[in-house]
Amino acid sequence: MGRKRKNKSSRGSKERKTRSEMGVANQDAVIPRRKIRHVINSCKEEGIEIPVPTRARDLPEIAKKIDAKLCYCLSELNLLSASISSVDEAVATFMQLVALSKESLIKILVRGEFDEYPDDKSMHGTANLAEMYNQFKDERGWLHSSFFRRDLKSNFLQSEINYCMFTQQVGKASGLAAKLAADLTADLAVVEHHHDSWFLYMFWYYVIMQVTRSVLKTYLSRYVHLCIHVESLVYNIMDKMIQRSYQWTHENYYTVNVNEEKTDEFFSEYTRLMSKCNVFIHGVLDDPEKPSTIIVDGIGEIVVEGLRSYSRDLLSEAFSVRMQSIAFRKIHTETFIEGMASHLQSSVRCKPSGHIHGFGDVRYADLEEATFCSCI
């Protein structure tokens, strides 16, 4: 009897050993259901069909499906509109969301970071603003070049000649002479004002209407009524910022302070331009072939037939006045545009008391009015 029990026990241990060895060797061994009961129940609740019994290698894939389903449900939940029951609650909610959006706006418009919008180039704030600014400078240079080349084919220097003849009679210190000198570039000033206005509008439209509005709408997406009234607030902000920049332009255009360095640049540029005067005078008065047109390096092809009736001194003085205008407008524009860039940078970064951070004069009363409408 004892020997038989021993053999039976020995045979049972061998069977268990064999099963154990098989479980280790077989990667598809079946896991008891009680060990994954909580996983299976979760799958059933989420509507995920899985085979039972489940194998160990399927568990990571099941976990991914559960996570994906949960993320989808949470995103759908976040899309539901949040309710606001009072004006105070609406104002508090709006200001809280504006505070949250502040960091995003600073990253986009000040620090030049775009990790929140890596694939949306329209939200790469500082890069786009730098491109707009460089384009503005290039266009201003083209405007100057076009203005001072406008009369190369007819009546070249005629305005300057009239000015010189007038000042010989009344003197350069006369108020009329000063007015006539200003009139020499009055048309250019008008064109520059239009150009400045266009650039400022495009600048603030991008900053306010594209970047700021997009960020605010991202944070306010759950508050449909607030989103609607944010539109009017954003337009008000843009109008106020544009008007502020227009005012700065009008106050500083004619009062540009040219420092010593810019003064040296002016004289250097004027000297360079006046080095062409002898070539110009020779082509008009001294060339025995009397050509109808001459080419002056840096200026272009000039029709000179109508200039031979004037004296050498008058032509030299008129040429000098034109070169002074070109040099002065160049230095004036460079200084003015640098000042405009500083103004716009400080406007974007500014923190006016009682206003939305860095974006204009939005009073509490404005918010209260808009949010009251959102509660109706």
Side-chain angles (χ1 to χ4, degrees):
M1 292 292 292
R3 185 177 297 176
K4 287 182 180 180
R5 288 178 182 173
K6 184 177 181 181
N7 291 340
K8 188 175 181 180
S9 173
S10 153
R11 187 167 59 249
S13 63
K14 288 181 180 180
E15 289 177 358
R16 287 193 297 270
K17 182 178 180 181
T18 303
R19 291 174 184 174
S20 176
E21 290 175 353
M22 288 176 62
V24 172
N26 188 358
Q27 297 297 325
D28 296 339
V30 176
I31 299 175
R33 184 172 178 176
R34 67 178 185 278
K35 292 185 179 180
I36 58 168
R37 190 181 302 279
H38 62 284
V39 176
I40 295 173
N41 291 337
S42 299
C43 292
K44 287 182 178 180
E45 292 175 0
E46 298 299 329
I48 301 175
E49 296 182 359
I50 59 173
V52 179
T54 302
R55 289 184 280 193
R57 66 181 183 183
D58 295 332
L59 290 177
E61 185 66 24
I62 295 171
K64 289 181 180 179
K65 290 182 179 180
I66 295 173
D67 290 340
K69 187 72 174 180
L70 290 174
C71 291
Y72 173 77
C73 292
L74 288 173
S75 63
E76 289 293 314
L77 179 62
N78 290 331
L79 291 177
L80 296 176
S81 299
S83 60
I84 298 176
S85 58
S86 66
V87 173
D88 290 339
E89 183 181 353
V91 172
T93 301
F94 182 82
M95 297 307 297
Q96 181 183 8
L97 293 172
V98 167
L100 292 174
S101 65
K102 181 181 72 174
E103 182 61 27
S104 295
L105 293 172
I106 291 175
K107 289 171 63 176
I108 296 170
L109 295 172
V110 178
R111 297 205 296 261
E113 302 173 8
F114 48 86
D115 53 290
E116 296 182 11
Y117 303 90
D119 300 323
D120 188 356
K121 292 186 178 181
S122 66
M123 298 295 286
H124 297 181
T126 53
N128 291 328
L129 292 177
E131 184 178 353
M132 291 171 61
Y133 176 75
N134 291 331
Q135 182 181 354
F136 172 69
K137 288 178 60 177
D138 294 342
E139 290 174 351
R140 180 57 63 89
W142 179 85
L143 286 176
H144 283 185
S145 177
S146 299
F147 177 80
F148 288 110
R149 294 172 185 268
R150 70 195 186 283
D151 58 355
L152 294 180
K153 300 302 180 182
S154 63
N155 299 322
F156 181 67
L157 291 183
Q158 195 60 54
S159 299
E160 288 80 2
I161 290 173
N162 294 336
Y163 167 76
C164 292
M165 294 174 65
F166 183 79
T167 55
Q168 287 175 0
Q169 298 176 4
V170 301
K172 292 185 178 181
S174 169
L176 292 175
K179 181 179 183 302
L180 186 59
D183 289 342
L184 293 176
T185 56
D187 292 339
L188 177 60
V190 172
V191 173
E192 287 182 339
H193 281 312
H194 287 297
H195 190 229
D196 293 340
S197 299
W198 172 84
F199 171 71
L200 291 173
Y201 176 83
M202 296 302 296
F203 178 91
W204 286 116
Y205 184 88
Y206 174 75
V207 171
I208 303 297
M209 300 305 296
Q210 289 190 236
V211 177
T212 305
R213 182 172 63 172
S214 297
V215 172
L216 285 174
K217 280 196 167 185
T218 299
Y219 284 92
L220 292 168
S221 58
R222 295 184 60 202
Y223 303 87
V224 179
H225 297 297
L226 281 180
C227 282
I228 294 173
H229 294 284
V230 159
E231 288 290 328
S232 62
L233 289 176
V234 168
Y235 275 106
N236 290 337
I237 294 172
M238 188 180 74
D239 288 340
K240 290 176 181 178
M241 297 308 293
I242 289 176
Q243 292 303 320
R244 183 182 296 175
S245 294
Y246 283 171
Q247 183 179 357
W248 182 94
T249 299
H250 294 314
E251 291 175 354
N252 291 272
Y253 182 82
Y254 293 106
T255 58
V256 172
N257 294 320
V258 179
N259 56 30
E260 183 177 352
E261 180 182 355
K262 292 295 183 181
T263 302
D264 294 339
E265 290 182 15
F266 165 76
F267 284 112
S268 176
E269 180 67 11
Y270 171 69
T271 302
R272 184 187 70 81
L273 293 170
M274 282 302 294
S275 66
K276 316 296 181 183
C277 184
N278 291 334
V279 176
F280 171 71
I281 297 297
H282 173 78
V284 176
L285 300 176
D286 300 332
D287 192 334
E289 297 183 0
K290 304 295 181 181
S292 60
T293 62
I294 62 173
I295 298 177
V296 179
D297 185 29
I299 297 177
E301 185 177 3
I302 308 170
V303 176
V304 296
E305 285 182 327
L307 298 176
R308 292 193 170 96
S309 60
Y310 299 107
S311 66
R312 184 183 302 271
D313 291 341
L314 183 58
L315 289 176
S316 297
E317 186 178 359
F319 190 86
S320 175
V321 171
R322 171 64 66 90
M323 298 307 111
Q324 286 181 32
S325 297
I326 294 176
F328 174 76
R329 298 306 303 184
K330 178 182 178 181
I331 302 304
H332 174 276
T333 297
E334 290 178 357
T335 306
F336 176 75
I337 290 180
E338 289 173 1
M340 179 183 286
S342 299
H343 159 73
L344 293 175
Q345 284 181 340
S346 63
S347 296
V348 171
R349 298 184 183 191
C350 71
K351 303 176 181 179
S353 177
H355 304 146
I356 290 181
H357 175 83
F359 297 106
D361 305 330
V362 179
R363 301 170 301 161
Y364 181 87
D366 297 330
L367 292 176
E368 190 174 31
E369 178 182 357
T371 50
F372 174 76
C373 297
S374 70
C375 296
I376 297 177

